[in-house]
Amino acid sequence: MPIASPEAYAEMLDRAKAGRYAYPAINVTSSQTLNAALKGFADAESDGIIQVSTGGAEYLSGPSVKDMVTGAVAFAAYAHEVAKKYPVNIALHTDHCPKDKLDKFVRPLMAISQERVKAGQEPLFQSHMWDGSAVPVAENLEIAEQLLAEAAKGKIVLEIEVGVVGGEEDGVENAINDKLYTTVEDGLAMVDALGLGEKGRYMAALTFGNVHGVYKPGNVKLRPEVLKQIQDAVGAKYGKEKPLSLVFHGGSGSLLSEIREALDYGVVKMNIDTDTQYTFTRPVADHMLRNYDGVLKVDGEVGNKKMYDPRVWGKAAEAGMAARVVEACEHLRSTGTTMK
């Protein structure tokens, strides 16, 4: 199938919330990790979201270019082509973008999609994230309102973050403290500023103890009930049941019971990066250690081309990551839910 249209993406998100499941949003940094994610979704018979961060987009442009927009456009062009061969719907998304990178990343990409839509085409990306967690809530929502208007022109879904995700990602680091929990007041302020769809569609990453990085299960103390409190408060004010489409960041180290509880409260998208990075790299390390005398020209020998051919260890890496995507779909209850 081709990359999801705006209408298909909207249906994906609506079905997920109604069905109490979420889509894994897999961060990728190369054509190989993209292919691995696509295979994982196809194997799980799940639609899904594939995303690039600012650092991932810069890497995709090439180490001597280091241009986020170039990398993101190249990634999207490649994804639009190869996704046609897979029997699932895939949405393309850009991950965390702080204030100082908006003009170098999200805004130019939105402008590209607006031009495509004017020409009768689909947007290049289906959604973009504005990460305003480092600025005061009032400023965060003011910028979000501006971006939502621009996103709507390009038939794009906006993702915002209200609250703070702890830990470090792409050079942005936040302390682990009480700011990791979005308040009901902040949730209501968000809806006062952005509405409930009439100004454009958005998803909200409300924080409930989330932390980026590597942790053993149980080490991250989540409070999913925070999401229910905010959903209930907004729902009571506007007369709607579970009105918000929510996003789960920093899931590494979370208990499955906590993940499932968050799904019940309206989470439709969960970011996965740390775990898929490891499952891509682990088979490569295994291959290199087991075949060191083939991948290296030891003691003047010539090595073994069949061992150092990048396609050999690359296939193993992709298979490892694809299997982790399948597992993510199972955890998030999206297995077998494709709209194909």
Side-chain angles (χ1 to χ4, degrees):
M1 289 183 178
I3 294 296
S5 66
E7 295 75 19
Y9 191 29
E11 184 178 352
M12 283 170 57
L13 299 177
D14 289 341
R15 284 166 56 112
K17 186 162 65 170
R20 296 176 183 261
Y21 62 88
Y23 299 107
I26 307 299
N27 280 72
V28 301
T29 54
S30 66
S31 59
Q32 285 186 299
T33 49
L34 167 63
N35 288 334
L38 288 169
K39 185 179 187 306
F41 284 123
D43 288 348
E45 298 183 349
S46 170
D47 300 326
I49 300 169
I50 297 178
Q51 60 190 24
V52 289
S53 64
T54 55
E58 183 179 271
Y59 182 78
L60 278 157
S61 74
S64 63
V65 176
K66 294 185 177 181
D67 183 84
M68 293 181 288
V69 172
T70 296
V73 170
F75 153 76
Y78 184 83
H80 274 266
E81 194 59 38
V82 296
K84 297 174 184 177
K85 300 295 183 179
Y86 291 87
V88 290
N89 294 284
I90 298 295
L92 303 182
H93 177 79
T94 61
D95 200 8
H96 293 270
C97 183
K99 182 180 177 181
D100 65 336
K101 294 182 179 177
L102 282 174
D103 289 340
K104 297 179 286 187
F105 191 52
V106 163
R107 287 192 174 109
L109 291 173
M110 281 190 177
I112 290 171
S113 286
Q114 289 171 0
E115 290 303 313
R116 288 169 62 97
V117 169
K118 286 180 183 177
Q121 300 173 299
E122 303 287 8
L124 190 63
F125 282 84
Q126 286 62 60
S127 51
H128 294 292
M129 182 186 179
W130 148 236
D131 184 353
S133 60
V135 302
V137 172
E139 183 182 1
N140 180 355
L141 295 177
E142 181 181 354
I143 293 172
E145 190 170 9
Q146 295 167 2
L147 290 172
L148 185 61
E150 293 303 309
K153 294 176 185 176
K155 298 184 178 181
I156 297 161
V157 176
L158 182 69
E159 179 184 332
I160 69 166
E161 183 170 312
V162 179
V164 176
V165 176
E168 186 273 333
E169 182 175 59
D170 262 6
V172 178
E173 187 167 359
N174 292 308
I176 299 174
N177 53 35
D178 288 345
K179 292 183 179 180
L180 301 187
Y181 302 94
T182 306
T183 66
V184 169
E185 291 73 23
D186 288 344
L188 290 169
M190 175 186 72
V191 178
D192 284 344
L194 304 183
L196 287 174
E198 65 275 11
K199 295 182 180 181
R201 182 152 192 161
Y202 67 95
M203 299 180 282
L206 305 181
T207 57
F208 52 105
N210 318 60
V211 181
H212 288 133
V214 185
Y215 303 89
K216 292 182 179 180
N219 280 20
V220 176
K221 305 303 180 184
L222 296 178
R223 290 172 47 203
E225 67 272 15
V226 168
L227 303 181
K228 184 177 188 304
Q229 292 165 3
I230 296 171
Q231 287 276 30
D232 289 349
V234 174
K237 181 174 181 178
Y238 293 91
K240 295 185 178 182
E241 182 181 357
K242 208 161 62 173
L244 302 173
S245 296
L246 304 179
V247 181
F248 188 151
H249 287 252
S252 297
S254 304
L255 298 174
L256 182 58
S257 60
E258 295 170 332
I259 294 172
R260 293 276 174 83
E261 186 179 355
L263 302 183
D264 292 340
Y265 300 149
V267 165
V268 297
K269 172 180 180 281
M270 177 172 166
N271 289 11
I272 301 174
D273 188 16
T274 301
D275 289 352
T276 46
Q277 285 179 349
Y278 180 77
T279 53
F280 183 84
T281 302
R282 178 64 178 80
V284 179
D286 180 74
H287 177 86
M288 299 302 173
L289 292 171
R290 288 178 181 273
N291 302 287
Y292 74 94
D293 55 347
V295 298
L296 300 176
K297 296 181 179 180
V298 179
D299 295 333
E301 294 297 327
V302 297
N304 183 344
K305 186 180 184 302
K306 292 183 179 179
M307 292 295 104
Y308 59 75
D309 183 339
R311 291 170 294 183
V312 175
W313 49 264
K315 288 176 183 177
E318 290 182 35
M321 181 173 163
R324 183 61 182 85
V325 174
V326 171
E327 181 183 354
C329 293
E330 293 170 353
H331 287 173
L332 299 182
R333 304 176 180 150
S334 70
T335 302
T337 63
T338 181
M339 301 190 305
K340 65 180 180 180

